[in-house]
């Protein structure tokens, strides 16, 4: 009888341990899904970008003007100081395009649901729906046409900040996993430094 009780106790103990493992795994999975749905990595300034489409088509919005005399010419290289997503900061970028425009940091509620994305960097004036005169004041609500992140296109956004600058489209290799990223939009001039 004693052996039967010991066996029963072991079975119950193993069942409890297995249940705890499943619950913890489910919690971790839920946390990962939430990170993906909210854009993932939360940077110190509140920017949330790892759900971003790292690579792009290379197409630019109609009316976007090429920079006449960019600090970093198309075809040249620069080091990225931006940390919009893992693997970006410190990567050597090749400049694919350089454009003079107004760039905005925005906050918005994704069209597919989920938590608000705050302080997203960057969308440009030409990626907004009927934006009117540039720059838009902080607090302005406007629909964004860019699809840099899932749930961004068609979302009503709030302008957090605006800056007139040169923005760059870049190619680079991620410093974390070596993945090639092409036609990434956007990096501002202040987020680039010369190659040593």
């Amino acid at each position: 009888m004693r052996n039967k009780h010991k066996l029963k106790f072991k079975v119950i103990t193993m069942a409890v341990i297995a249940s705890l493992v499943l619950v913890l795994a489910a919690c971790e999975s839920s946390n990962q899904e939430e990170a993906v749905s909210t854009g993932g990595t939360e940077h110190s300034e509140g920017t949330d970008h790892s759900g971003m489409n790292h690579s792009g088509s290379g197409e630019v919005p109609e009316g976007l003007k090429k920079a006449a005399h960019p600090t970093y010419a198309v075809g040249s290289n620069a080091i990225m100081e931006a940390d919009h997503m893992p693997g970006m900061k410190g990567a050597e970028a090749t400049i694919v395009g350089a454009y003079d425009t107004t760039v905005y940091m925005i906050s918005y509620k994704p069209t597919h649901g989920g938590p608000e994305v705050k302080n997203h960097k960057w969308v440009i004036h030409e990626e907004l729906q009927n934006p009117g005169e540039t720059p838009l004041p902080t607090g302005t609500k406007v629909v964004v046409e860019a699809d840099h992140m899932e749930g961004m296109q068609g979302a009503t956004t709030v302008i957090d900040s605006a800056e007139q600058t040169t923005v760059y489209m870049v190619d680079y290799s991620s410093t974390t996993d070596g993945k090639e990223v092409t036609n990434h939009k956007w990096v501002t001039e202040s987020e680039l430094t010369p190659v040593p």
Side-chain angles (χ1 to χ4, degrees):
M1 286 295 281
R2 190 173 291 174
N3 285 342
K4 259 187 174 180
H5 286 298
K6 280 185 178 178
L7 181 59
K8 190 174 181 181
F9 178 76
K10 282 183 181 179
V11 168
I12 291 171
T13 302
M14 292 303 289
V16 168
I17 291 171
S19 297
L20 284 173
V21 168
L22 288 173
V23 167
L24 291 173
C27 287
E28 179 62 25
S29 174
S30 173
N31 288 342
Q32 288 173 352
E33 285 171 13
E34 183 178 334
V36 169
S37 70
T38 61
T41 305
E42 192 76 29
H43 296 289
S44 58
E45 54 205 21
T47 308
D48 206 350
H49 285 82
S50 67
M52 196 166 187
N53 301 327
H54 294 221
S55 293
S57 66
E59 293 180 13
V60 297
E62 189 176 333
L64 182 60
K65 294 178 182 174
K66 289 183 179 180
H69 304 288
T71 301
Y72 302 96
V74 172
S76 68
N77 292 341
I79 302 298
M80 290 193 290
E81 297 300 324
D83 62 350
H84 302 171
M85 60 200 105
M88 177 179 269
K89 189 174 175 70
E92 185 170 328
T94 299
I95 306 300
V96 178
Y99 308 91
D100 287 333
T101 186
T102 301
V103 67
Y104 298 100
M105 181 165 62
I106 61 170
S107 296
Y108 65 96
K109 184 88 168 168
T111 57
H112 59 67
E116 182 181 19
V117 175
K118 294 184 178 180
N119 305 319
H120 172 84
K121 296 179 180 176
W122 303 101
V123 297
I124 59 174
H125 193 77
E126 292 78 6
E127 292 175 320
L128 303 175
Q129 191 177 95
N130 304 317
E133 292 298 311
T134 180
L136 296 177
T138 300
T140 301
K141 291 186 178 180
V142 64
V143 174
V144 68
E145 294 181 340
D147 62 351
H148 302 172
M149 296 178 70
E150 186 183 348
M152 173 182 277
Q153 191 171 33
T156 298
T157 71
V158 176
I159 302 297
D160 295 321
S161 70
E163 178 187 355
Q164 181 71 37
T165 187
T166 301
V167 295
Y168 296 88
M169 187 188 314
V170 297
D171 292 346
Y172 68 96
S173 297
S174 170
T175 60
T176 54
D177 59 14
K179 182 180 175 183
E180 294 295 324
V181 178
T182 57
N183 302 317
H184 173 77
K185 302 170 189 169
W186 304 98
V187 179
T188 62
E189 191 153 294
S190 64
E191 294 175 321
L192 297 172
T193 57
V195 175

